């Protein structure tokens, strides 16, 4: 399957000073709310040597999300592998259009509830928690998939409330493409330890692939360097990676 193909491709190019093989978003329910064989997918990834995994039970009610995350943690602990989970709804991958971004931001729809987050972390012992505080995923289907992603921002006060409730567990920011730079930098200061970027790299890859596989590789590498250097402004990171525009 594709997990093996990705593992093998990664083995051919990895640099363990800077990279890890993580399995992102294994949903418990898919976009149409159909059940996914998430335990089997995660068991396969663990067998293949993936170094961390994410189970996404965010479409479930709290207790069911806790139960599903707990099952994955039991599997992963046996393999010595850390687990990321999500609470709250990082919208954007659902079927059908989203309401206007500002309306979503103002309403706080889907935002992670701090008290729920505290219970979730306490009861699961999860290693990273993905939260929703204004971040949304870029579209992965339809015409919107190639369009410019909305410039999201983050509600930093809400992030502080989550941080205070959950304690030291590292928080993850999904939907990293196109978030305003000031919000990214504030997010990092207020507890974000990992940022997931997809759209900015995928769009470069797909535009390059229309030319050739080599072009896709080059454009993806350039887009990755640009995200690290220009958008995240993490001083010196791009230099340490040895990547350049
Ligand atoms: P974007 O595609 O919006 O950057 O989000 C990526 C992501 O969160 C993958 O988990």
């Amino acid at each position: 399957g594709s997990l093996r193909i990705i593992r093998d491709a990664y083995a051919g190019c990895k640099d363990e000073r800077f990279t890890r093989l993580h399995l992102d978003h294994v949903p418990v329910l898919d976009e149409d709310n159909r059940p996914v064989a998430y335990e089997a997918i995660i068991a396969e990834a663990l067998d293949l040597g993936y170094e961390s995994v994410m189970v996404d039970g965010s479409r479930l009610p709290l207790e069911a999300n806790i139960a599903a995350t707990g099952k994955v943690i039991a599997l992963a602990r046996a393999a010595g592998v850390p687990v990321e989970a999500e609470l709250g709804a990082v919208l954007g991958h659902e079927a059908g259009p989203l309401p206007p971004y500002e309306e979503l931001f103002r309403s706080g729809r889907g935002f992670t509830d701090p008290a729920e987050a505290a219970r979730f972390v306490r009861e699961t012992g999860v290693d990273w928690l993905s939260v929703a505080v204004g971040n949304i995923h870029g579209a992965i289907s339809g015409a919107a998939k190639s369009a410019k992603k909305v410039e999201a921002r983050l509600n930093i006060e809400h992030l502080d409330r989550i941080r205070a409730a959950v304690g030291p567990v590292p928080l993850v920011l999904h939907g990293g493409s196109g978030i305003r730079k000031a919000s990214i930098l504030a997010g990092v200061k207020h507890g974000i330890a990992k940022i997931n970027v997809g759209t900015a790299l995928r769009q470069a890859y797909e535009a390059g692939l229309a030319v050739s596989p080599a072009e896709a590789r080059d454009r993806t590498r350039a887009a990755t360097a640009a995200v690290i250097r220009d958008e995240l402004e993490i001083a010196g990171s791009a230099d340490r990676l040895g990547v350049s525009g």
Side-chain angles (χ1 to χ4, degrees):
S2 52
L3 287 179
R4 181 182 294 276
I5 293 170
I6 291 164
R7 193 275 314 265
D8 291 347
Y10 173 71
C13 64
K14 69 182 177 182
D15 180 341
E16 288 188 334
R17 289 173 303 165
F18 310 118
T19 62
R20 293 290 180 273
L21 184 60
H22 172 72
L23 180 61
D24 195 26
H25 282 291
V26 178
V28 178
L29 295 178
D30 72 11
E31 303 78 33
D32 301 314
N33 285 318
R34 287 178 306 223
V36 174
Y38 66 99
E39 289 171 277
I41 295 168
I42 285 175
E44 187 191 350
L46 296 171
D47 274 350
L48 287 167
Y50 278 69
E51 293 160 305
S52 53
V53 295
M54 178 189 186
V55 55
D56 179 359
S58 64
R59 294 194 178 98
L60 302 170
L62 178 65
E63 311 233 330
N65 190 354
I66 289 174
T69 300
K71 283 186 194 168
V72 168
I73 288 176
L75 281 174
R77 287 279 183 272
V81 161
V83 174
E84 175 181 343
E86 182 165 297
L87 185 68
V90 181
L91 300 169
H93 285 177
E94 298 61 33
L98 272 181
Y101 178 74
E102 281 307 317
E103 193 180 307
L104 272 179
F105 188 83
R106 265 196 311 276
S107 69
R109 184 176 140 202
F111 281 22
T112 306
D113 179 81
E116 287 193 2
R119 180 173 165 203
F120 187 88
V121 168
R122 196 173 57 239
E123 294 189 11
T124 61
V126 75
D127 300 288
W128 290 285
L129 183 67
S130 162
V131 295
V133 291
N135 45 315
I136 60 168
H137 281 122
I140 48 171
S141 60
K145 146 180 191 291
S146 309
K148 186 177 186 306
K149 193 186 160 188
V150 66
E151 272 197 8
R153 51 208 177 88
L154 305 179
N155 183 328
I156 298 295
E157 293 74 34
H158 196 84
L159 180 60
D160 282 342
R161 287 192 281 274
I162 296 170
R163 166 90 286 159
V166 299
V169 65
L171 302 179
V172 181
L173 182 66
H174 279 247
S177 303
I179 297 177
R180 291 181 201 174
K181 199 186 287 188
S183 280
I184 294 265
L185 296 176
V188 169
K189 287 207 181 88
H190 291 254
I192 298 296
K194 170 173 172 282
I195 303 174
N196 283 34
V197 176
T199 300
L201 313 182
R202 179 184 49 74
Q203 288 182 341
Y205 171 81
E206 286 172 354
L209 204 56
V211 181
S212 71
E215 185 71 16
R217 184 198 58 209
D218 291 349
R219 289 200 200 182
T220 307
R221 182 179 292 155
T224 305
V227 165
I228 296 168
R229 191 190 52 231
D230 303 334
E231 292 190 26
L232 306 185
E233 277 189 357
I234 298 168
S237 287
D239 291 343
R240 286 206 298 277
L241 282 170
V243 291
S244 59

